Amino acid sequence: MKKLSLLICLLCAAIATSAAPKSDATYQSIRQQYRAGRISADSVVSLALYHKVYDPQLAEQCLKLVNTPRADMELGVLYAFSPEFAKHSADGLKLLQRAAQSGQNEANCYLGLYYFNHKDYSKAKTYLDACHPQYGIGYTALGSMYTSGSGVKQDLAKARENFRQAALKGYPRGMALYGFNLRANAGGAIDYPDSFFWLYIAGDLGDDAARVTLFLPMRGENRGDSETAQQAFTALQFIQKTQSGKKIQNEPIYRDGFLQSLKERENAAEQGDDWARYYLGSMNYNGDFLNQNYAQVLHYYVPIAQNGKLPRNVLAVVNQRLAELYRDGKGTKADPVKAERHTRLAAHYGSLPAYKTAEHITD
């Protein structure tokens, strides 16, 4: 056992040693491109966010390269919420406050979350009220406060409405919580069709708790993110307690939420509902509940990309997937020009992998 422990330690040390030069080389490359004017300050922040999940220290270095409200906000988030930077939490709070004062309104949401986590609900609500009309994360936090009665009078109807607004803003956690409320008769009547609808979209956008609720495998695309880790842990507990040996086909949310409403969703998509198009296009892309059909993905996704009305994170996914289909000739003839255009659109809407592809940036 001691030999095994020693071997593990030596392996970890070797990995850390090999990772350090790679991180340093990546930082120097980003630094040189920024100093030479080849990439913008916003691009540096985007690259920092790309590396944040796997290498928080590299993200910190990149964010320190630029002096903008957005960089202040993201560095503040890193310091205030990441366990690796616990000793810098006070600095994170100051950076978030500076970003908010400089007009970075989303920083108010993170300040609200900071004070909510520290049980200062009065300050939390003040900051969340300042930001939530624009950001799903703010609506979600306020919904959580109304759910538990923390700092406000408990009001499940208000909680449900805040989660609905978060869903419409494209925030996966808010979508999932709205879906759970619709399924559990919380703050209003049970609505299995809308519950299934929003839980599926939340799961497609990365919320693992929503995925497990629909008996889909967890993805864990954002490993290292504390929120995703907590969702995954909660989802695993949910599986162990409630889903052992069960099948989604036996659940009311599938029979009444998916099967009975499928035709209605198809009609809504044909009449121009972009959310319904995303729902059906994603099922066809993933092969979840519907057979995988790339021609149908194109049918539903192309109008979404043309309209550009859904939230940016959703448009990023749509364009990234369209780029893949056109690049690889899935469901259509390969078209490098369209693939390039959709890659750049995906990058524009915030897809960091697409940004790296478009700019030919290597790790």
Side-chain angles (χ1 to χ4, degrees):
M1 182 61 71
K2 289 183 178 179
K3 288 183 178 179
L4 179 59
S5 298
L6 178 60
L7 178 60
I8 292 172
C9 290
L10 289 171
L11 285 171
C12 290
I15 291 169
T17 302
S18 64
K22 182 179 179 181
S23 294
D24 186 60
T26 302
Y27 167 71
Q28 292 300 334
S29 173
I30 293 170
R31 179 175 177 272
Q32 289 168 9
Q33 290 181 76
Y34 175 59
R35 294 284 171 83
R38 292 198 296 272
I39 58 175
S40 67
D42 269 353
S43 296
V44 173
V45 175
S46 293
L47 287 167
L49 296 179
Y50 179 85
H51 291 289
K52 177 180 173 182
V53 172
Y54 305 100
D55 194 337
Q57 284 73 30
L58 174 57
E60 178 195 25
Q61 285 182 295
C62 293
L63 289 169
K64 284 183 172 181
L65 277 175
V66 296
N67 183 24
T68 65
R70 185 182 174 217
D72 281 348
M73 182 185 75
E74 297 298 350
L75 187 58
V77 170
L78 197 66
Y79 284 165
F81 295 99
S82 298
E84 298 93 332
F85 298 100
K87 65 181 181 180
H88 294 301
S89 61
D91 294 329
L93 183 60
K94 291 177 182 177
L95 284 165
L96 287 170
Q97 289 170 336
R98 188 167 79 185
Q101 290 166 2
S102 299
Q104 193 74 30
N105 192 32
E106 192 176 0
N108 286 306
C109 294
Y110 289 111
L111 286 165
L113 287 176
Y114 178 91
Y115 284 113
F116 178 79
N117 291 342
H118 288 78
K119 303 188 187 310
D120 189 337
Y121 300 118
S122 177
K123 284 186 178 179
K125 190 165 188 307
T126 297
Y127 282 112
L128 290 172
D129 281 340
C131 84
H132 88 273
Q134 294 186 45
Y135 299 99
I137 189 172
Y139 277 116
T140 302
L142 273 176
S144 298
M145 290 178 70
Y146 281 116
T147 298
S148 62
S150 301
V152 295
K153 183 179 179 181
Q154 187 181 47
D155 189 327
L156 297 183
K158 283 187 177 180
R160 185 168 178 163
E161 176 58 21
N162 274 282
F163 293 143
R164 186 181 76 87
Q165 293 294 337
L168 293 173
K169 293 292 183 183
Y171 190 58
R173 186 89 284 253
M175 292 176 182
L177 291 170
Y178 184 47
F180 295 147
N181 274 240
L182 291 164
R183 184 189 185 197
N185 192 27
I190 290 175
D191 186 335
Y192 284 130
D194 275 359
S195 176
F196 189 98
F197 180 81
W198 287 111
L199 285 172
Y200 184 78
I201 295 175
D204 185 58
L205 294 173
D207 188 285
D208 275 334
R211 294 186 64 78
V212 170
T213 302
L214 298 183
F215 294 67
L216 295 169
M218 290 186 293
R219 287 178 172 172
E221 289 117 328
N222 297 319
R223 294 188 190 281
D225 176 68
S226 59
E227 182 183 23
T228 301
Q230 181 59 45
Q231 289 174 28
F233 177 72
T234 303
L236 283 170
Q237 287 185 315
F238 182 83
I239 292 173
Q240 293 168 351
K241 290 181 179 179
T242 67
Q243 293 192 191
S244 179
K246 289 187 177 182
K247 294 182 178 180
I248 186 68
Q249 288 80 0
N250 299 326
E251 296 294 310
I253 195 172
Y254 177 79
R255 296 194 308 270
D256 302 332
F258 170 65
L259 290 180
Q260 290 190 16
S261 66
L262 180 58
K263 190 63 179 177
E264 182 181 343
R265 300 297 180 192
E266 290 173 342
N267 289 337
E270 294 308 317
Q271 292 170 14
D273 185 330
D274 278 349
W275 278 117
R277 286 168 170 162
Y278 182 78
Y279 172 77
L280 295 168
S282 298
M283 282 189 183
N284 279 281
Y285 177 84
N286 295 314
D288 296 327
F289 307 108
L290 298 175
N291 292 329
Q292 194 171 54
N293 186 326
Y294 292 126
Q296 283 292 92
V297 177
L298 289 161
H299 173 73
Y300 289 120
Y301 272 4
V302 168
I304 296 175
Q306 290 172 341
N307 292 340
K309 293 179 179 179
L310 290 185
R312 293 177 66 87
N313 61 317
V314 182
L315 292 172
V317 173
V318 166
N319 281 284
Q320 186 168 321
R321 289 174 176 173
L322 284 174
E324 174 197 333
L325 301 190
Y326 286 122
R327 183 177 60 249
D328 298 339
K330 295 178 178 178
T332 185
K333 184 179 179 180
D335 190 327
V337 174
K338 287 184 178 179
E340 172 73 10
R341 182 168 75 245
H342 285 291
T343 297
R344 292 200 171 276
L345 280 169
H348 169 73
Y349 287 122
S351 168
L352 299 176
Y355 173 81
K356 289 186 66 182
T357 300
E359 300 298 326
H360 307 291
I361 297 170
T362 59
D363 286 326

